[in-house]
Amino acid sequence: MDHTHEEEKRLKGQIEMWEHIYAFVDSMTLKCAVELGIPDIINSHGRPITVSEIINNFPTTTSSSSSPNIDYLTRVMRLLVRKRIFSLHIDEKSNQIYYDLTPSSRWLLRDSQFNLSPLLLAQLDPWLLKPWQYMGKCVKEGGLPFEKAHGVEIWDCALANPQFNHLFNDAMRCTAEIIINAVLVKYKDGFNGIESLVDVGGGTGIMISEIVKANPHIRGINFDLPHAVATAPEQQGVEHVGGDMFVHIPEADAVITKWILHDWGDEDCVKILKNCHKAIAKKKNGKVIIVDCVLRPDGDGSFDNTAFAFDLVMIAHTSGGKERTEVQWKTLLNNAGFPRFNIIPIPAFPSIIEAFPE
């Protein structure tokens, strides 16, 4: 009996290891489908369609000798059906196979308000995949995987390479829209009583603009590096201000940051948070609204596994960034002069961490 049990455990371990080794196939096959525009092609028909109909809607190629490989596409769709990205229907009369969208693939539609395709394409682009090849070296010897892969840190790379900058910004924009919607749904009362709000690291002002639209009583300040705000579109009720969050942050009733602090190590985060503290110091009920991940080591929530994966993304792509547990957030906030805080879950990957100076 014991021998049989041990053999079953060994077999289970082998099965799991095979799945881990080839987990990248799922992601790369999904990237293939997005690059081909398959979710959009199915959606444009408004009904389940065949492989031939998918192929007939591919953009025409310049080479007269090239033609789509039906066998390849059939096998791509077979895997993605198994992974519940698409659904499969068989016509009983004709025995024809039809493919349709699922709740998962609807998040990949380019014309949808909430679309994760840009994030998928960015994370699986060679620019962002290459640093992972240096993870082991950096664990052993120190250093930054992205810098070892490309010779510069990610922010310098974005400045020097317009194509990568565009890819990266599109990914950030699509996630911003999803997260902002979740914030406005779950935290709408949190903006009551705020007359001025500064978005630290707000980029082109997407988040602060949406907050001001939903809360017209707020005067919004979009704060980022000068080159970042230089291309920001004019928005009613929003002022774009260039500067450096490590030096000074404009005064306001409240400060909000989204996916900023996870890009930096603890020492840098304390510097940023202390400047946030100064920005609200003259306000009676000042607070800092942090939209970032809270790691739950024993958590089994919908986004907990993604959070741990994202923590490793911070190693691969940033200069000391990390995702933090509640205990780590408490230490960080205390060191910056915020002894009291609340964690508010939202229907998205990050949470809201509401921090108060007293």
Side-chain angles (χ1 to χ4, degrees):
M1 182 68 72
D2 288 343
H3 177 72
T4 302
H5 181 63
E6 284 302 314
E7 284 299 311
E8 288 176 351
K9 286 200 301 183
R10 279 177 54 80
L11 178 58
K12 184 174 184 294
Q14 182 192 165
I15 292 168
E16 290 177 353
M17 194 49 57
W18 276 90
E19 290 179 350
H20 287 309
I21 290 169
Y22 287 102
F24 75 94
V25 175
D26 297 344
S27 298
M28 297 307 293
T29 306
L30 187 54
K31 181 188 180 188
C32 168
V34 169
E35 289 177 331
L36 293 170
I38 292 174
D40 297 294
I41 291 171
I42 296 174
N43 189 58
S44 69
H45 283 72
R47 59 172 174 79
I49 61 175
T50 65
V51 162
S52 295
E53 288 176 303
I54 293 173
I55 286 175
N56 289 338
N57 283 269
F58 284 168
T60 56
T61 59
T62 55
S63 172
S64 60
S65 62
S66 64
S67 60
N69 190 309
I70 295 175
D71 176 58
Y72 284 3
L73 180 57
T74 301
R75 289 152 68 184
V76 163
M77 296 302 290
R78 181 171 62 186
L79 175 65
L80 294 178
V81 166
R82 186 170 180 83
K83 296 298 177 178
R84 298 187 296 278
I85 303 299
F86 300 111
S87 61
L88 180 148
H89 310 275
I90 301 176
D91 185 280
E92 293 181 359
K93 293 181 180 179
S94 64
N95 208 33
Q96 182 70 265
I97 295 175
Y98 293 85
Y99 298 96
D100 202 359
L101 299 173
T102 65
S104 295
S105 47
R106 289 190 178 281
W107 283 90
L108 301 173
L109 299 176
R110 297 179 193 273
D111 294 333
S112 173
Q113 181 185 1
F114 304 122
N115 168 25
L116 283 169
S117 288
L119 179 65
L120 171 76
L121 295 175
Q123 290 295 335
L124 298 178
D125 188 86
W127 280 101
L128 291 182
L129 285 179
K130 189 176 180 181
W132 291 97
Q133 305 297 328
Y134 294 84
M135 183 74 82
K137 185 178 180 66
C138 289
V139 168
K140 184 178 180 180
E141 303 174 3
L144 305 174
F146 193 94
E147 189 174 30
K148 288 191 180 297
H150 299 296
V152 293
E153 295 183 22
I154 191 168
W155 315 117
D156 295 326
C157 183
L159 280 173
N161 297 274
Q163 185 178 358
F164 173 68
N165 188 52
H166 179 72
L167 185 80
F168 185 81
N169 286 340
D170 276 355
M172 295 302 99
R173 188 178 300 109
C174 83
T175 56
E177 290 168 350
I178 294 167
I179 293 167
I180 293 163
N181 180 70
V183 169
L184 291 174
V185 167
K186 191 68 177 181
Y187 192 69
K188 57 183 178 180
D189 294 337
F191 297 109
N192 293 342
I194 296 175
E195 295 182 2
S196 58
L197 177 66
V198 56
D199 182 1
V200 174
T204 56
I206 295 174
M207 180 164 72
I208 193 67
S209 298
E210 292 301 316
I211 291 172
V212 170
K213 283 180 188 176
N215 301 272
H217 64 279
I218 293 178
R219 177 176 64 87
I221 302 166
N222 179 47
F223 180 72
D224 210 320
L225 293 170
H227 76 267
V229 299
T231 58
E234 291 299 319
Q235 298 283 353
Q236 186 174 353
V238 176
E239 176 188 4
H240 300 293
V241 177
D244 186 341
M245 63 186 175
F246 288 103
V247 178
H248 171 76
I249 292 171
E251 291 185 6
D253 292 334
V255 171
I256 189 167
T257 72
K258 178 189 67 65
W259 271 358
I260 298 298
L261 297 180
H262 79 162
D263 287 334
W264 302 94
D266 292 349
E267 186 177 336
D268 284 328
C269 282
V270 168
K271 290 178 183 177
I272 297 168
L273 286 167
K274 283 184 175 179
N275 284 335
C276 291
H277 194 291
K278 292 176 184 176
I280 61 171
K282 297 179 182 179
K283 307 299 179 179
K284 184 179 179 181
N285 297 310
K287 63 181 175 181
V288 176
I289 305 160
I290 302 164
V291 184
D292 237 314
C293 175
V294 179
L295 281 181
R296 298 171 177 85
D298 299 317
D300 59 358
S302 301
F303 293 101
D304 283 327
N305 286 339
T306 304
F308 283 93
F310 223 82
D311 183 47
L312 273 292
V313 172
M314 293 299 100
I315 296 176
H317 295 160
T318 70
S319 307
K322 64 174 76 171
E323 306 298 353
R324 295 173 171 88
T325 64
E326 182 174 346
V327 171
Q328 289 172 316
W329 277 115
K330 181 179 181 179
T331 301
L332 201 66
L333 291 166
N334 281 339
N335 289 342
F338 295 92
R340 185 165 62 91
F341 69 97
N342 300 319
I343 295 176
I344 304 168
I346 60 175
F349 169 42
S351 298
I352 290 173
I353 303 158
E354 195 179 40
F356 303 91
E358 57 183 34

